[in-house]
Amino acid sequence: MMNKSEMRVRMEEGRLYLPNDETITSEQFVCLDRLYDFNQTRPTELAKREQMLKEMFAEIGEGCYIEPPFHANFGGLHVHFGNNVYANFNLTLVDDGHIYVGDNVMFGPNVTVATANHPIEPTLRRHAAQYNVDVHIGANVWIGAGTVIVPGVTIGENSVIGAGSVVTRDIPANVVAVGNPCRVMREISDRDRTYYYKDKKIDLFL
């Protein structure tokens, strides 16, 4: 079995590395070919999509659904989904590092979750030097359309991230957070258990 290159080891350890290393790129192309095939599936091929995701992802639970097109640097190789995760169109996972997503998470359309970063120092950047920091998203989180989550962020369980937010720091559990940069607006309250929109009362009990 081929030994991992020094750059692949650096990548796994979260250290600076050069992503154009042959060991890394050859592995990446295999993943991207699988991702391409996933994005060519027909809407009725649900069982085929489900099986493909199990082969593409590091971990994926039951009842997960990703609406193509889906984009990922490594085709999900470093992505860990719990159960019943839903993602709308154009989910982009920059999964050079690991992305951990809990049960019952919902992604709106055009969400980006990034783990890859580049140093500020221009000489290193000229050579495309990179490092990765994992992202953690807790169970039952709803991430609104067009949100960007940057490397190293943790979002606590049950929280809601408003559409168009740029999440640059950790967000605690049980809050509504919005904006650029994303900030906590308020805690989830008893009123949210009574009203689902303005003065419209919840009349669906599960």
Side-chain angles (χ1 to χ4, degrees):
M1 187 174 182
M2 184 183 297
N3 291 327
K4 291 180 180 176
S5 70
E6 178 187 357
M7 290 300 168
R8 187 67 175 88
V9 172
R10 283 177 162 269
M11 175 183 175
E12 291 179 356
E13 293 176 346
R15 299 162 63 195
L16 284 171
Y17 70 100
L18 301 178
N20 59 357
D21 175 78
E22 184 177 352
T23 302
I24 296 172
T25 56
S26 61
E27 180 180 27
Q28 188 174 17
F29 279 131
V30 171
C31 297
L32 292 177
D33 275 349
R34 288 178 184 165
L35 177 61
Y36 178 88
D37 291 340
F38 175 82
N39 283 327
Q40 305 312 305
T41 56
R42 301 178 68 85
T44 53
E45 295 180 309
L46 298 178
K48 181 178 180 180
R49 286 181 181 177
E50 184 177 353
Q51 182 58 40
M52 293 178 77
L53 289 173
K54 288 179 179 178
E55 296 169 0
M56 293 160 58
F57 276 42
E59 297 177 277
I60 188 163
E62 298 301 318
C64 293
Y65 180 83
I66 299 178
E67 184 70 58
F70 164 50
H71 314 282
N73 283 23
F74 279 80
L77 182 66
H78 304 127
V79 179
H80 310 257
F81 272 12
N83 297 311
N84 303 312
V85 176
Y86 170 81
N88 212 319
F89 298 100
N90 288 317
L91 176 64
T92 298
L93 302 179
V94 185
D95 64 333
D96 302 71
H98 290 268
I99 298 171
Y100 299 90
V101 178
D103 296 343
N104 305 307
V105 169
M106 296 192 298
F107 294 94
N110 300 307
V111 169
T112 297
V113 182
T115 65
N117 215 339
H118 301 282
I120 300 298
E121 201 283 316
T123 302
L124 287 169
R125 217 169 54 251
R126 190 178 305 129
H127 294 280
Q130 179 176 315
Y131 63 97
N132 307 316
V133 190
D134 298 345
V135 169
H136 296 79
I137 299 171
N140 209 36
V141 168
W142 173 25
I143 299 171
T147 293
V148 176
I149 300 171
V150 305
V153 161
T154 294
I155 299 174
E157 64 180 9
N158 301 322
S159 287
V160 175
I161 307 299
S165 294
V166 179
V167 188
T168 60
R169 65 191 73 180
D170 291 353
I171 301 297
N174 301 301
V175 300
V176 176
V178 299
N180 179 9
C182 189
R183 294 185 174 90
V184 174
M185 183 172 70
R186 62 179 178 83
E187 292 186 356
I188 294 172
S189 67
D190 287 340
R191 191 178 196 284
D192 297 303
R193 298 177 182 92
T194 304
Y195 299 93
Y196 65 92
Y197 179 73
K198 296 185 177 179
D199 61 347
K200 295 183 180 293
K201 282 195 171 184
I202 294 171
D203 58 357
L204 178 65
F205 302 98
L206 304 175

